Structure formats: C-alpha cells, structure tokens
C-alpha cells in the first residue's frame, strides 16, 4: 500500500494523519513518524509494517484512550468507537479497544440501557426511551429486554404526573395552554390520542 499523504492535524502540531491509497488513515506523533523511515509521502508501506504500527502503537494507545473516555461517564460501545474513529484511529483498532474495555466490564450496553431507562422513565414515553437508546447505538434486542425488566409506570399515569408538574388544569386551560402541553408531551414521545384524552 502506498502512502498518499502525511498531513498535520489542524488542532495539533505534534500529530499527523497518514493516508494510504486504500483510503485508510491513522494518526501518529511526529517523533513516531521519524523513527519509521518507511513513512514518507509516496513510499510503499508493507502489510507487515502496517500491522506492526496497528498492534504496537495504535492499539495500546486506543485502549488507554478508551479507559480515559470511560473515567468520567458510562458510554455505549458505539459511542466509544465513534469517539476513537473521530480521533483518527482505524475502525478495526477502535473496535478492538472497545472489546478490550468490554471484556473487563467497563463497557456494558445492557447496563447503560437499564440505567438510562431508570433515570429517564418518569419524563419519557417507552417509545422515546427506545428511540434515544437506538440513537446511542444500542441494539433493539437489548433495549426491549431492559424495557421488559423495568417496572415502568403506565403511559397514562406518566402523562398525568407531567401535567401535574406543569400545573396544567383542564378546567381553566386555554387553547394556547392545551397546544403547548400537546407539543411538550409529543416531544416526550407520548401517543397523540393518549395526550388528547388526558388534556
């Protein structure tokens, strides 16, 4: 494979993106590039050298970066992979680093989904919880299992609780108040017919 370009990253003077003719790219520090004489624009990079860079430089760095990402907050596997690829790691390295963290229980999509449902169940409908978790890259099977296990309040009761919190009174509400509440509850993912009945 041929090295098409070696370009400095916009936000860093010490790191450069190396792009190959296979459209794959990876990021190394300037000092690391200097140590590898084969890393020059237009030069050919052997598969063995490429694999050595992946396994000896990028994978250990990606594992360390993954653990750093998980220090302050729980993340989904998809989120970790996205963060790593945005940081210049090839997809296979990002996936391997995520698998490494998951093997120690640091990434657990099921735990993430259960916690998310627990903390947001009072404010969001079942449908909205599922949509939000799907957007975070969690599989529908895991979400459905977690929703089944959660002791969720009925949608009707949730709507009533939210109406009370918003001090909504159907007796005194104006058309404008009703429209505002409909928009608010639709935004939380509740069914329109249920909302109409409640308000």
């Amino acid at each position: 494979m041929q090295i098409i370009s070696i370009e400095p990253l916009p936000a860093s003077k010490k790191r450069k993106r190396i792009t190959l003719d296979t459209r794959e790219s990876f990021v190394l520090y300037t000092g690391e590039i200097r140590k590898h004489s084969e890393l020059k624009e237009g030069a050919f990079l052997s598969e063995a050298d490429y694999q050595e860079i992946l396994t000896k430089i990028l994978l250990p760095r990606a594992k360390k970066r993954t653990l750093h990402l998980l220090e302050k907050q729980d993340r989904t596997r998809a989120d970790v992979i996205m963060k790593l690829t945005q940081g210049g790691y090839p997809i296979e390295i990002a996936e391997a680093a995520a698998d490494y963290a998951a093997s120690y229980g640091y990434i657990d999509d099921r735990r993430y989904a259960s916690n998310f449902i627990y903390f947001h169940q009072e404010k969001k409908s079942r449908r909205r919880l599922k949509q939000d978790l799907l957007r975070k890259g969690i599989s529908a099977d895991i979400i459905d299992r977690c929703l089944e296990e959660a002791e969720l309040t009925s949608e009707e009761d949730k709507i009533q609780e939210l109406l009370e919190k918003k001090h909504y009174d159907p007796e005194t509400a104006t058309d404008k108040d009703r429209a505002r509440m409909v928009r608010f509850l639709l935004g939380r993912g509740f069914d329109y017919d249920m909302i109409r009945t409640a308000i």
Side-chain angles (χ1 to χ4, degrees), residues 6 12-18 26-36 39 57-58 61 89:
I6 300 177
S12 171
K13 293 177 182 175
K14 295 181 180 178
R15 300 185 326 147
K16 294 186 177 181
R17 181 180 300 280
I18 299 168
F26 54 93
V27 174
L28 292 178
Y29 286 95
T30 307
E32 292 166 338
I33 294 171
R34 271 194 237 110
K35 284 181 191 171
H36 291 78
L39 295 178
I57 299 174
L58 296 177
R61 186 177 296 150
Y89 292 97

Side-chain angles (χ1 to χ4, degrees), residues 137-194:
I138 297 178
S139 77
D141 290 344
I142 290 175
I143 298 166
D144 290 339
R145 257 183 276 136
C146 291
L147 284 168
E148 281 171 27
E149 290 167 7
E151 294 177 12
L152 298 177
T153 310
S154 75
E155 303 273 285
E156 291 88 349
D157 289 345
K158 278 188 201 176
I159 290 171
Q160 285 305 321
E161 285 171 16
L162 288 168
L163 290 174
E164 285 170 25
K165 276 186 183 174
K166 291 285 184 181
H167 307 292
Y168 176 84
D169 181 1
E171 302 294 321
T172 60
T174 65
D175 288 344
K176 191 176 177 181
D177 293 334
R178 278 189 276 283
R180 191 169 66 245
M181 284 312 299
V182 168
R183 283 194 305 275
F184 169 73
L185 292 167
L186 284 172
R188 300 292 173 114
F190 293 102
D191 179 73
Y192 178 73
D193 289 332
M194 262 186 221

Side-chain angles (χ1 to χ4, degrees), residues 18-172:
I18 299 168
T19 305
L20 307 173
D21 61 352
T22 56
R23 293 195 177 178
E24 292 167 295
S25 67
F26 54 93
V27 174
L28 292 178
Y29 286 95
T30 307
E32 292 166 338
I33 294 171
R34 271 194 237 110
K35 284 181 191 171
H36 291 78
S37 57
E38 71 277 11
L39 295 178
K40 290 184 171 64
E41 280 189 13
F44 284 89
L45 183 65
S46 71
E47 184 62 33
D49 286 339
Y50 179 59
Q51 288 304 318
E52 185 179 337
I53 289 167
L54 291 181
T55 55
K56 292 194 176 167
I57 299 174
L58 296 177
L59 183 56
R61 186 177 296 150
K63 287 178 180 178
K64 192 174 178 181
R65 175 75 180 131
T66 298
L67 297 178
H68 179 70
L69 286 169
L70 295 165
E71 272 177 352
K72 292 186 178 135
Q73 71 180 74
D74 204 8
R75 294 179 185 272
T76 64
R77 184 176 191 279
D79 185 36
V80 167
I81 290 170
M82 182 190 70
K83 293 273 187 200
L84 291 173
T85 53
Q86 285 174 346
Y89 292 97
I91 185 70
E92 67 268 28
I93 292 298
E95 288 174 347
D99 290 342
Y100 167 80
S103 73
Y104 288 96
Y106 299 137
I107 296 175
D108 184 339
D109 282 357
R110 186 180 171 89
R111 179 186 67 223
Y112 186 98
S114 292
N115 288 340
F116 186 91
I117 291 165
Y118 177 79
F119 287 111
H120 297 279
Q121 64 182 332
E122 296 306 316
K123 295 179 249 170
K124 297 181 180 186
S125 69
R126 185 183 184 94
R127 181 175 56 197
R128 180 64 187 274
L129 288 167
K130 185 169 183 173
Q131 287 171 347
D132 289 351
L133 288 167
L134 284 170
R135 260 188 246 113
K136 292 178 181 292
I138 297 178
S139 77
D141 290 344
I142 290 175
I143 298 166
D144 290 339
R145 257 183 276 136
C146 291
L147 284 168
E148 281 171 27
E149 290 167 7
E151 294 177 12
L152 298 177
T153 310
S154 75
E155 303 273 285
E156 291 88 349
D157 289 345
K158 278 188 201 176
I159 290 171
Q160 285 305 321
E161 285 171 16
L162 288 168
L163 290 174
E164 285 170 25
K165 276 186 183 174
K166 291 285 184 181
H167 307 292
Y168 176 84
D169 181 1
E171 302 294 321
T172 60

